[in-house]
Amino acid sequence: MSIQTVGIIGAGTMGNGIAQACAVSGVNVVMLDISDAAVAKGRATVVSSLGRLVKKEKITEANKTAALSRIQTSTSYDDLKGTQLVIEAATESYDLKVKIVKQLDSMLSPETIIASNTSSISITKLAAVTTRTDRFIGMHFFNPVPMMTLVEIIRGLQTSDATHAAVHDLSTRLGKAPITVKNAPGFVVNRILVPMINEAFFVLAEGVATAEDIDAGMKLGCNQPIGPLALADMIGLDVCVAVMGVYLQEFGDSKYRACPLLKELVAAGQLGRKTGKGVYTY
Ligand SMILES: NC(=O)c1ccc[n+]([C@@H]2O[C@H](COP(=O)([O-])OP(=O)(O)OC[C@H]3O[C@@H](n4cnc5c(N)ncnc54)[C@H](O)[C@@H]3O)[C@@H](O)[C@H]2O)c1
């Protein structure tokens, strides 16, 4: 099945980024959120993002106009009826996502694929609340979506080969480089990334090196664009603790325990850039 029109649930950071990536690549989009204000904000973000690409001469003004003409915004599920794929990119809450995918399952045509952009919820578990477990899949995009090439395509236990093939084909048409991942906590990238960040906090706590030297070491020695401690400040130290908590619970392996220093900084309200102070002061 070739996907020509994609529905997107949620016009936030990820939803509007996915909408932009689709529209620029000639794919029609219906971007849905809970209020007119939310969809207007999502659309405005796409308008300014495309404007920056025109300024940098990455796309032409005509490309921008054409891309915007492909994005329909809506607050009604009825407008999703002509889609071949709906990507759920709403707020990260299990209860909310269950409610959304059940509603989608009840009104979309049987052949429409449902994908979720969740970072932490089991794709197999979400698929199981629908009647189309074979046509349910994870599409984990990275932020900012228009810039980041990777998409993790997550196969739930019952995802069919045809569903995987259709979503893989779409990802390639969006100019992305998809990797295929079995459903497991953290998928591939965050499963490796967040424990690495956590280990950097252990190294810091043990006084092995200063924060600046730990970050410089990983940048210069591993060619990472940003050190793990500076990255933790960008992600949010509370988010790192929460993610480690999920791994600890799901795998039952103590190697996933959050570093006490990391937890202590969170307890102090030093969550990173968003609070002006984390490992570093901003
Ligand atoms: N931000 C990231 O770096 C990142 C990266 C990969 C995946 N994700 C995942 O993407 C999803 C969205 O994250 P985000 O950062 O875009 O969040 P966000 O807060 O920026 O946007 C979420 C949007 O969902 C909307 N929403 C809430 N309930 C809704 C409903 N019932 N119907 C329609 N829309 C609804 C909200 O109004 C909001 O506009 C989450 O599952 C998150 O885990 C985020």
Side-chain angles (χ1 to χ4, degrees):
M1 187 223 297
S2 176
I3 296 166
Q4 304 303 331
T5 304
V6 173
I8 300 172
I9 308 293
T13 309
M14 298 306 287
N16 72 56
I18 298 166
Q20 179 179 325
C22 289
V24 165
S25 306
V27 176
N28 297 315
V29 170
V30 182
M31 181 170 69
L32 186 143
D33 208 304
I34 44 179
S35 66
D36 289 335
V39 286
K41 193 170 164 218
R43 192 182 173 85
T45 304
V46 177
V47 171
S48 57
S49 172
L50 290 174
R52 282 195 299 278
L53 292 177
V54 172
K55 255 195 193 146
K56 288 188 197 155
E57 296 184 354
K58 297 244 161 96
I59 60 169
T60 63
E61 189 64 40
N63 296 146
K64 175 184 160 186
T65 307
L68 287 171
S69 74
R70 292 188 195 103
I71 303 178
Q72 181 193 341
T73 55
S74 172
T75 54
S76 164
Y77 278 63
D78 285 344
D79 291 327
L80 300 171
K81 287 218 162 105
T83 59
Q84 293 84 45
L85 166 73
V86 175
I87 304 173
E88 176 283 310
T91 314
E92 186 78 348
S93 148
Y94 176 72
D95 292 344
L96 175 68
K97 288 187 192 286
V98 165
K99 196 177 123 209
I100 290 172
V101 299
K102 274 187 172 168
Q103 189 168 353
L104 289 172
D105 187 42
S106 69
M107 50 73 56
L108 290 173
S109 74
E111 57 275 10
T112 299
I113 297 168
I114 303 177
S116 176
N117 185 50
T118 179
S119 304
S120 66
I121 299 167
S122 163
I123 295 301
T124 301
K125 204 169 162 186
L126 273 182
V129 306
T130 72
T131 58
R132 60 184 85 206
T133 51
D134 57 324
R135 280 147 291 146
F136 197 100
I137 197 161
M139 285 183 90
H140 189 228
F141 289 88
F142 286 74
N143 184 24
V145 180
M147 312 297 297
M148 298 292 282
T149 314
L150 181 66
V151 187
E152 288 179 311
I153 299 180
I154 297 108
R155 297 192 69 145
L157 192 66
Q158 293 166 295
T159 304
S160 70
D161 290 343
T163 297
H164 174 262
V167 165
H168 193 280
D169 172 65
L170 175 75
S171 304
T172 309
R173 279 162 51 210
L174 300 185
K176 303 296 179 199
I179 63 168
T180 299
V181 180
K182 263 202 273 184
N183 182 54
F187 311 131
V188 165
V189 173
N190 289 338
R191 164 88 173 270
I192 297 171
L193 179 69
V194 183
M196 183 200 69
I197 289 172
N198 192 49
E199 195 62 26
F201 279 91
F202 276 112
V203 171
L204 179 66
E206 289 166 19
V208 176
T210 62
E212 289 78 4
D213 279 359
I214 292 167
D215 278 349
M218 294 305 287
K219 277 163 70 178
L220 301 175
C222 299
N223 262 354
Q224 295 188 354
I226 179 172
L229 298 170
L231 181 58
D233 277 354
M234 277 177 71
I235 294 172
L237 271 50
D238 53 334
V239 175
C240 295
V241 170
V243 171
M244 291 304 291
V246 171
Y247 298 166
L248 184 64
Q249 190 188 335
E250 295 289 322
F251 294 112
D253 187 332
S254 65
K255 76 176 178 182
Y256 295 111
R257 74 197 188 285
C259 173
L261 172 63
L262 179 55
K263 291 204 282 192
E264 190 68 358
L265 292 171
V266 171
Q270 296 185 23
L271 308 183
R273 283 181 180 267
K274 62 188 169 189
T275 59
K277 199 165 162 53
V279 175
Y280 301 101
T281 302
Y282 299 91

